[in-house]
Amino acid sequence: MPSLKRSEKSPFADPSSGPLFSVRFLISLVLVLGGIAWIAYYYIGVRPVAGFNDGKPALDPKSFEPGKITGWHWMGDLQGWNYLIGFGAIMIGLVLAAHPSTPLGRGRGVVVGMLGCFLIGLLWICTYYVVGTGDNAQDIAIFNDLEQKNLFVGIAFMAVGFTFATKWE
């Protein structure tokens, strides 16, 4: 069996491989992580104890007892819009990652991104219906605030999966 020299290309090499990091990939990574951080900070540090418009103050992060709002007050004023901002950033970041200049936009990354988004969307909706509509619905973080809007989140993940599917060859 002849050995391959460095100058020869392997027949098993991925012809569509490209750089691991690109500006588009870094921007998409910042958007996804920023969206997750936005939602987490709102839910943990700013959100009212029993949900929206109840007049109760947020949790005090030191004692986990109801106390004064310790987070950014302007973020508390946005209430439910914080979820739209956070999930919107996540979805836009994933759509940007579907471009061929990113690792998720070429080769096997497309399949991983597509199936990952489809499964996350399906699991999101199933989790909402199985657990979020029962007696313990208030125990699940984020699901308890979104209620029926959880369907939009699950369907949005599936829609992002279709943006990956359009890149599949």
Side-chain angles (χ1 to χ4, degrees):
M1 177 173 213
S3 63
L4 294 174
K5 297 178 184 176
R6 287 186 181 252
S7 61
E8 296 177 6
K9 288 192 172 184
S10 170
F12 301 107
D14 186 10
S16 63
S17 67
L20 184 60
F21 290 103
S22 64
V23 174
R24 180 182 289 264
F25 180 65
L26 292 175
I27 291 171
S28 67
L29 193 61
V30 166
L31 282 170
V32 170
L33 294 176
I36 292 169
W38 186 281
I39 293 170
Y41 178 72
Y42 172 70
Y43 192 84
I44 294 169
V46 180
R47 175 186 163 271
V49 174
F52 304 126
N53 299 323
D54 61 356
K56 295 180 183 176
L59 289 174
D60 184 4
K62 294 176 184 167
S63 64
F64 293 105
E65 296 294 326
K68 64 179 184 167
I69 293 178
T70 57
W72 297 324
H73 289 282
W74 60 267
M75 194 175 199
D77 292 340
L78 290 173
Q79 292 186 358
W81 289 98
N82 285 300
Y83 293 113
L84 181 66
I85 294 167
F87 282 115
I90 293 169
M91 301 306 163
I92 291 171
L94 288 171
V95 168
L96 285 175
H99 192 270
S101 68
T102 67
L104 280 176
R106 61 179 179 267
R108 292 184 184 129
V110 174
V111 177
V112 170
M114 176 183 65
L115 292 178
C117 287
F118 286 156
L119 287 175
I120 289 171
L122 180 65
L123 288 173
W124 194 279
I125 292 172
C126 289
T127 302
Y128 169 67
Y129 273 122
V130 171
V131 183
T133 57
D135 294 333
N136 299 326
Q138 294 299 321
D139 295 340
I140 302 175
I142 298 173
F143 284 83
N144 57 2
D145 279 349
L146 292 177
E147 296 172 348
Q148 288 291 323
K149 296 177 197 115
N150 282 301
L151 298 175
F152 293 128
V153 174
I155 292 169
F157 272 113
M158 291 182 192
V160 170
F162 281 110
T163 63
F164 282 99
T166 61
K167 310 292 184 202
W168 193 11
E169 297 176 7

